[in-house]
Amino acid sequence: MPKAQETVLEIDLKSLEHNYQYLRSKVAHTVKMMAVVKAFAYGSDSVAIASKLEKAGIDHFAVAYTKEGENLRAGGIEKPVLVLHPQSHSLKLLIDNCLTPSLYSKHILTEFIKTAEELNLKDYPVHININTGLNRLGFSPEEIDEVISILRKTSALQLVGIYSHLGASEDPAEKEFTLSQIATFKKASEKILEAFDHNILRHLCNTSGILNYPEAIFDMVRTGIGLYGYGNSVEEDEKLKPIGTLKTIISQIHHIKAGESVGYNRAFIAKKDTTTATLPLGHADGISRIYGKQKTAVLINGKEAPIIGNVCMDMIMVDVTDIDCNEGDQVIIFGKERSAEKFANKAGTISYELITAISQRVKRFIID
Ligand SMILES: *Cc1c(COP(=O)(O)O)cnc(C)c1O
């Protein structure tokens, strides 16, 4: 990899393959794997990620919205793509792109049947989402009899999957809650399996579900964050490899006197003579203001340089008083050498939020 000359997000597909194989090793070989590539594959590059995983043998993909699935198809992705949260207006587009809808409410179920029947579809594959306690999307277990009878009345759809989503699978303190979600899912899904004679895939686990609740693996798992190199625990983080490294360079160095301020609103006032470096990325690139005011630091020549003052739209300033560095030197924000999880935690957030926020202005550089 040549030295970065601007802000870039390096995406290492070898690390992706490593993470995929690691997660695969956690489930029986008969269990299918669905890669969650929503939100530009967690802020990386959904087509590059999905193509690599398709070659590596992934069974299924998931995205949040129909447009994201359309984008995968335009990029040549052929494996089934589950749309987790389709909206009524996008159902035609969803079908045109051979995407699989997750039906989560009576409204969207009815709308989808209407669209499918108008198009004279037969046995179009759908998944049903059951709400087992997250209270975000999904049919309540009490609605299942009605869902079964609605599905039986149409030949336009075929139910090929049932799933639910765990709300706290990474949190040992919420074990009881997670076990109750698993039990509710088991009961509700068994009722559905009994109602149909064809094969229906059951899936419940996200990344932390796979790692912490092997008893909840069923027929397929949905993994997102693990593929990108984070496992929601110190032990798992050690086994996974972050695929994305956000790098930049030093644009300018300033030597300021004690009492001078740095940046907007004078949020940093130098207590002593200070050397600062200005970096070409800011909140418009995804480094939010929550990381400013010395909450977090970047890495320059192996040393931590705290972000001082307020993060600007296009720039941040860091304290390099004790670091031997020059204009043009490399800066690591997060990635291989420096966990996005730790960077995020220092400002009170999580890797998911940090990595998915990296905006489209940042150039992606794929390494295979
Ligand atoms: C985002 C999402 C996932 C992936 O979760 P990770 O914790 O990133 O593995 C799985 N299932 C659903 C329904 C999701 O929304």
Side-chain angles (χ1 to χ4, degrees):
M1 171 62 197
K3 207 177 123 208
Q5 299 192 323
E6 58 183 325
T7 302
V8 290
L9 181 66
E10 271 179 28
I11 301 160
D12 185 345
L13 298 182
K14 290 226 166 56
S15 297
L16 174 69
E17 173 122 38
H18 165 88
N19 298 334
Y20 170 63
Q21 295 303 346
Y22 174 72
L23 292 160
R24 257 248 156 267
S25 77
K26 294 285 167 185
V27 303
H29 70 273
T30 48
V31 171
K32 291 182 190 290
M33 281 188 79
M34 176 186 271
V36 182
V37 294
K38 61 195 180 190
F40 301 101
Y42 288 38
S44 60
D45 178 323
S46 49
V47 170
I49 298 296
S51 304
K52 179 75 182 181
L53 290 171
E54 207 166 60
K55 283 195 203 94
I58 200 91
D59 303 287
H60 216 301
F61 292 103
V63 292
Y65 298 106
T66 304
K67 269 266 167 216
E68 297 177 309
E70 183 189 26
N71 199 38
L72 290 180
R73 291 286 184 244
I77 298 304
E78 291 176 354
K79 285 276 158 75
V81 177
L82 180 66
V83 181
L84 296 167
H85 195 187
Q87 308 293 316
S88 321
H89 76 87
S90 71
L91 297 180
K92 176 79 172 42
L93 182 68
L94 184 149
I95 292 167
D96 286 346
N97 283 280
C98 296
L99 307 170
T100 309
S102 157
L103 303 174
Y104 49 86
S105 68
K106 240 163 63 191
H107 174 72
I108 199 79
L109 172 62
T110 316
E111 291 283 306
F112 193 77
I113 291 175
K114 206 173 96 199
T115 310
E117 286 179 347
E118 276 166 14
L119 294 168
N120 291 316
L121 299 181
K122 183 131 181 38
D123 291 339
Y124 194 92
V126 304
H127 289 224
I128 290 283
N129 182 359
I130 300 163
N131 176 18
T132 55
L134 184 60
N135 292 324
R136 187 173 75 171
L137 286 179
F139 290 99
S140 74
E142 292 72 44
E143 289 175 295
I144 281 170
D145 287 327
E146 201 184 343
V147 171
I148 292 172
S149 83
I150 295 173
L151 286 171
R152 278 198 171 136
K153 283 195 200 102
T154 176
S155 59
L157 272 57
Q158 182 167 48
L159 183 64
V160 297
I162 2 174
Y163 78 102
S164 184
H165 193 37
L166 299 174
S169 57
E170 75 287 3
D171 186 354
E174 292 294 354
K175 184 158 189 182
E176 210 177 311
F177 173 76
T178 304
L179 293 176
S180 84
Q181 281 200 280
I182 297 168
T184 305
F185 179 68
K186 218 166 167 210
K187 197 160 157 231
S189 62
E190 271 161 13
K191 199 170 190 181
I192 299 175
L193 292 191
E194 276 163 25
F196 299 93
D197 352 298
H198 61 269
N199 193 38
I200 299 174
L201 289 174
R202 290 195 285 175
H203 48 111
L204 177 61
C205 284
N206 63 338
T207 301
S208 294
I210 301 170
L211 301 172
N212 300 330
Y213 296 92
E215 71 270 34
I217 282 172
F218 297 97
D219 308 313
M220 181 157 69
V221 291
R222 303 184 305 272
T223 173
I225 199 76
L227 290 172
Y228 308 107
Y230 297 97
N232 292 325
S233 81
V234 176
E235 304 81 69
E236 296 298 345
D237 279 352
E238 275 168 14
K239 300 191 181 106
L240 295 161
K241 297 183 180 172
I243 69 154
T245 300
L246 183 63
K247 290 185 172 176
T248 190
I249 58 163
I250 297 177
S251 281
Q252 193 177 13
I253 289 181
H254 292 277
H255 300 282
I256 64 165
K257 295 264 171 284
E260 284 190 75
S261 63
V262 175
Y264 288 132
N265 317 104
R266 309 192 69 206
F268 177 83
I269 309 271
K271 291 201 181 77
K272 55 180 176 69
D273 291 359
T274 301
T275 307
T276 70
T278 301
L279 314 180
L281 84 169
H283 62 71
D285 301 288
I287 302 302
S288 140
R289 281 166 59 102
I290 64 168
Y291 302 109
K293 295 188 178 168
Q294 300 171 82
K295 284 264 169 40
T296 57
V298 303
L299 212 58
I300 300 177
N301 298 333
K303 286 195 167 159
E304 300 229 326
I307 299 177
I308 53 176
N310 281 320
V311 169
C312 313
M313 190 183 295
D314 314 307
M315 280 162 260
I316 57 179
M317 280 71 89
V318 298
D319 185 342
V320 294
T321 310
D322 300 322
I323 303 175
D324 184 14
C325 61
N326 295 297
E327 292 175 355
D329 281 2
Q330 293 280 290
V331 179
I332 308 282
I333 314 297
F334 64 76
K336 263 186 212 145
E337 300 88 338
R338 202 181 155 61
S339 150
E341 180 67 12
K342 286 188 191 142
F343 184 93
N345 288 172
K346 287 202 174 120
T349 184
I350 55 175
S351 56
Y352 293 79
E353 184 175 11
L354 173 61
I355 65 178
T356 58
I358 301 311
S359 79
Q360 294 300 304
R361 184 163 77 176
V362 176
K363 191 164 152 188
R364 269 66 177 166
F365 187 91
I366 313 281
I367 308 168
D368 201 351

